[in-house]
């Protein structure tokens, strides 16, 4: 029986040489006349250890990382196929503290199985949720999602079950299920990881939603910057269709649902659900005025459920284990788990899935290990480029929807970007406006013009021109954008600006001296 060696084929691992590592291990095994099987998996999400390889031994899976292609010979010399000692040995992977402390509901299979093997998916619990949904029927399935407290993981946190119930209650000749995989927030990668590491989970979740609301057609809108995820997910769709998971009779139920992956064109605004629908229809990505809501009149004017990757991916676990079991995770009205993504100036960047309610400090210091530079942490941005900046004094803020709102921030897609004490927060505020100006669809004046005027006003403050008057003008402009923009791009761009002004006012006050020195 050949030894099994697991090497990730996730984009993050590929970027640091995982393919070369796999080839080197195969070549070394051949040179030594050893029979091994290389299994390509997704990533565990411990990015500082990539490429992280694992070996299946009698005592369990033993990890080694980060492994370079030139270390293959030394690994064999150390008898790594049986878990031998080596400087890169990590012991049992599931016991690595970074993983052991997590509550992995959605990402339980990522990095464990071959993402394109339906057999492996089934053997690790896959399709149990869909099978239970088929036995419950549409109405009871929706009630289960409602009772679980599942909320949208794309940013707004809207109750998922309410969307499904609304679409299910409408009589229409055609309904759609659309997955928003246009993951454009800075420091986020959970959607990509899941599509590359466990694509059948997303397919299963979308099938559950479709059969619940009466939709027969689904689309996954994947951002153009994710070509590898698009390729992997497209192959997964083909295999799911061939196995009867998609098509005219889902799992032999006699009920039809099919799925198609679509590649975006690089527009951040298409992360907003109505702009995404416009793009799917072949139009320019611009927001639609609401109402009507997509759940009532969405894609091609038909009732459409639009959810994020992580929202759909949570539903199989809920259906398999029950709404009550899911609701036992989390706090208050923030129930279940959230995959947080640690990025920026942090020692241990990666994916951390936890129940809602952990503190920002636990994520940044406990999991992340603090700033990679070793310098003090000064600011942490939560929720992408439109999220607030939190100073070190607010690191004990809990990561749930209500606590973040109380702290004048937002959870968004769970992205966390860390900055040390060398960051210039006045320039970070300017970046928020510049980003909004570049990514605006141009439909509404507060966003299109306000973001441009905002960047100009911050430039004046940095240059020391009429600082007090321009700071007040900046606050007034933020109010107009918040209240007058048609969508969250213009409406939330002021959030990082105001948090920078409120928590790091000294950077704006010191701007003239800095500008003169430069």
């Amino acid at each position: 029986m050949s030894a099994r060696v697991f090497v990730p084929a996730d984009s993050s691992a590929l970027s640091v040489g995982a393919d070369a590592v796999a080839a080197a291990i195969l070549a070394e095994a051949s040179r030594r006349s050893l029979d091994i099987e290389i299994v390509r998996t997704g990533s565990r999400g411990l990015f500082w250890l990539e490429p992280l390889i694992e070996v299946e031994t009698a005592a369990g899976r033993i990890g080694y990382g980060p492994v370079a292609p030139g270390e293959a010979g030394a690994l064999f010399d150390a008898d790594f196929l049986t878990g031998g000692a080596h400087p890169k040995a990590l012991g049992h992977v599931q016991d690595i503290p970074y993983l052991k402390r997590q509550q992995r509901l959605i990402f339980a299979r990522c990095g464990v199985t071959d993402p394109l093997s339906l057999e492996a998916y089934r053997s690790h619990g896959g399709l149990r949720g869909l099978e239970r949904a088929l036995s419950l029927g549409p109405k009871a399935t929706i009630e289960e999602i409602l009772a679980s407290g599942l909320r949208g993981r794309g940013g707004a946190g809207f109750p998922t079950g309410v969307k499904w119930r609304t679409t299910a209650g409408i009589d229409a000749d055609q309904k759609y299920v659309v997955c928003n995989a246009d993951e454009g927030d800075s420091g986020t990668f959970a959607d990509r990881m899941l599509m590359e590491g466990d694509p059948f989970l997303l397919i299963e979740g979308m099938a559950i939603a479709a059969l619940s609301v009466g939709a027969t057609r689904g689309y996954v809108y994947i951002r153009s910057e994710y070509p590898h995820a698009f390729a992997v997910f497209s192959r997964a769709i083909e295999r799911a269709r061939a196995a009867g998971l998609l098509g005219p009779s889902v799992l032999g139920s006699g009920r039809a649902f099919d799925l198609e992956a679509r590649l975006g064109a690089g527009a951040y605004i298409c992360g907003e659900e109505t702009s995404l629908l416009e793009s799917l229809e072949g139009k320019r990505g611009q927001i639609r005025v609401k109402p009507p809501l997509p759940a009532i009149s969405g894609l091609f004017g038909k009732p459409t459920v639009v959810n994020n990757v992580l929202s759909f991916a949570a539903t199989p676990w809920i259906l398999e284990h029950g709404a009550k079991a899911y609701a036992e995770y989390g706090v208050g009205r923030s129930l279940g788990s959230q995959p947080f993504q640690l990025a920026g100036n942090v020692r241990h960047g990666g994916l951390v899935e936890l129940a809602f309610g952990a503190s920002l400090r636990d994520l940044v210091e406990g999991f992340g290990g603090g700033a990679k530079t070793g310098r003090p942490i000064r600011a942490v941005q939560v929720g992408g480029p439109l999220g607030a900046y939190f100073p070190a004094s607010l690191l004990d803020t809990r990561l749930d929807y209500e606590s973040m709102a109380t702290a004048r921030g937002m959870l968004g897609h769970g992205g966390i970007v860390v900055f040390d004490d060398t960051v210039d927060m006045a320039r970070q505020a300017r970046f928020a406006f510049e980003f909004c100006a570049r990514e605006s669809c141009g439909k509404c004046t507060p966003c299109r013009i306000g973001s441009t005027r905002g960047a100009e006003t911050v430039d004046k403050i940095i240059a020391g021109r009429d600082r007090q008057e321009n700071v007040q003008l900046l606050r007034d402009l933020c109010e107009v954008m918040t209240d007058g923009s048609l969508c969250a791009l213009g409406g939330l761009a002021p959030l990082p600006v105001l948090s920078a002004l409120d928590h790091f006012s000294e950077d704006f006050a010191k701007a003239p001296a800095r500008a003169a020195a430069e």
Side-chain angles (χ1 to χ4, degrees), residues 130 133-134 137-139 141 177 206-216 250 253 255-257:
L130 177 56
L134 286 169
K139 186 175 180 180
T141 297
V177 172
M206 292 186 71
I208 291 170
L211 299 182
S212 299
V213 305
T216 57
V250 174
S253 65
R255 303 178 63 191
F257 175 64

Side-chain angles (χ1 to χ4, degrees), residues 121-133 204 208 316 319-321:
Y121 183 69
R122 275 187 176 276
S123 68
H124 285 77
L127 301 184
R128 293 176 188 170
L130 177 56
E131 289 167 349
R132 181 163 182 255
E204 181 180 1
I208 291 170
L319 268 297
E320 178 186 355
H321 299 278

Side-chain angles (χ1 to χ4, degrees), residues 104-461:
R104 287 207 165 184
L105 311 185
I106 298 173
F107 282 83
R109 272 180 297 267
C110 267
V112 176
T113 60
D114 176 352
L116 290 174
S117 169
L118 256 174
E119 181 182 358
Y121 183 69
R122 275 187 176 276
S123 68
H124 285 77
L127 301 184
R128 293 176 188 170
L130 177 56
E131 289 167 349
R132 181 163 182 255
L134 286 169
S135 67
L136 285 175
K139 186 175 180 180
T141 297
I142 293 174
E143 289 302 316
E144 196 84 357
I145 298 300
L146 282 164
S148 74
L150 177 66
R151 295 167 67 174
R153 298 295 190 257
F158 190 81
T160 302
V162 173
K163 282 188 178 183
W164 292 19
R165 184 174 60 187
T166 301
T167 300
I170 298 173
D171 186 20
D173 60 348
Q174 177 68 59
K175 297 179 184 180
Y176 297 100
V177 172
V178 172
C179 177
N180 183 348
D182 193 55
E183 184 177 50
D185 283 356
S186 50
T188 59
F189 41 80
D191 292 357
R192 176 193 60 74
M193 269 187 61
L194 192 128
M195 288 186 290
E196 293 178 0
D198 196 11
F200 294 120
L201 180 63
L202 175 56
I203 294 172
E204 181 180 1
M206 292 186 71
I208 291 170
L211 299 182
S212 299
V213 305
T216 57
R217 190 76 186 168
Y219 295 91
V220 179
Y221 189 94
I222 302 174
R223 70 182 306 220
S224 63
E225 294 87 348
Y226 285 172
H228 186 60
F230 182 80
V232 172
F233 193 75
S234 296
R235 290 199 296 272
I237 289 176
E238 293 172 1
R239 296 188 182 188
R241 191 178 293 125
L245 175 54
L246 296 172
S249 180
V250 174
L251 293 186
S253 65
R255 303 178 63 191
F257 175 64
D258 211 343
L259 194 58
E260 182 180 339
R262 290 284 185 87
L263 197 63
Y268 181 78
I269 192 64
C270 287
E272 193 278 332
E273 62 180 6
T274 64
S275 297
L276 184 154
L277 295 177
E278 289 284 292
S279 182
L280 273 178
E281 292 178 5
K283 304 171 186 175
R284 179 181 178 183
Q286 283 192 315
I287 71 158
R288 298 175 181 175
V289 177
K290 294 183 284 189
L293 298 171
I296 298 170
S297 178
L299 189 63
F300 302 115
K302 302 297 184 179
T304 305
V305 168
V306 184
N307 280 131
N308 174 263
V309 170
L310 303 180
S311 305
F312 283 124
T315 60
W317 196 97
I318 294 169
L319 268 297
E320 178 186 355
H321 299 278
K324 183 179 178 182
Y326 187 78
E328 287 174 353
Y329 292 90
V331 293
R333 294 191 299 112
S334 300
L335 302 179
S337 66
Q338 169 67 45
F340 297 100
Q341 297 123 93
L342 281 171
N345 191 341
V346 65
R347 195 180 304 275
H348 296 148
L351 183 128
V352 180
E353 185 178 354
L354 294 174
F356 285 105
S359 72
L360 187 53
R361 185 182 305 279
D362 191 24
L363 262 293
V364 173
E365 297 179 355
F367 283 91
K372 188 174 183 179
T373 58
R375 300 181 65 92
I377 290 173
R378 186 166 187 234
V380 179
Q381 188 175 33
V382 182
L386 307 180
Y389 291 100
F390 287 82
S393 60
L394 290 180
L395 285 181
D396 291 317
T397 302
R398 292 199 310 183
L399 290 163
D400 59 76
Y401 292 110
E402 289 69 41
S403 296
M404 292 299 292
T406 300
R408 297 183 181 180
M410 68 172 189
L411 197 56
H413 189 48
I416 297 173
V417 180
V418 181
F419 300 83
D420 70 12
D421 61 353
T422 63
V423 67
D424 184 330
M425 296 307 297
R427 296 195 182 278
Q428 289 301 121
R430 188 195 188 282
F431 170 76
F433 280 129
E434 181 185 18
F435 179 84
C436 182
R438 290 187 177 186
E439 298 294 343
S440 174
C441 75
K443 189 165 187 174
C444 72
T445 302
C447 176
R448 182 183 71 250
I449 302 299
S451 54
T452 301
R453 297 290 89 86
E456 293 171 353
T457 305
V458 175
D459 282 340
K460 292 175 183 177
I461 296 170

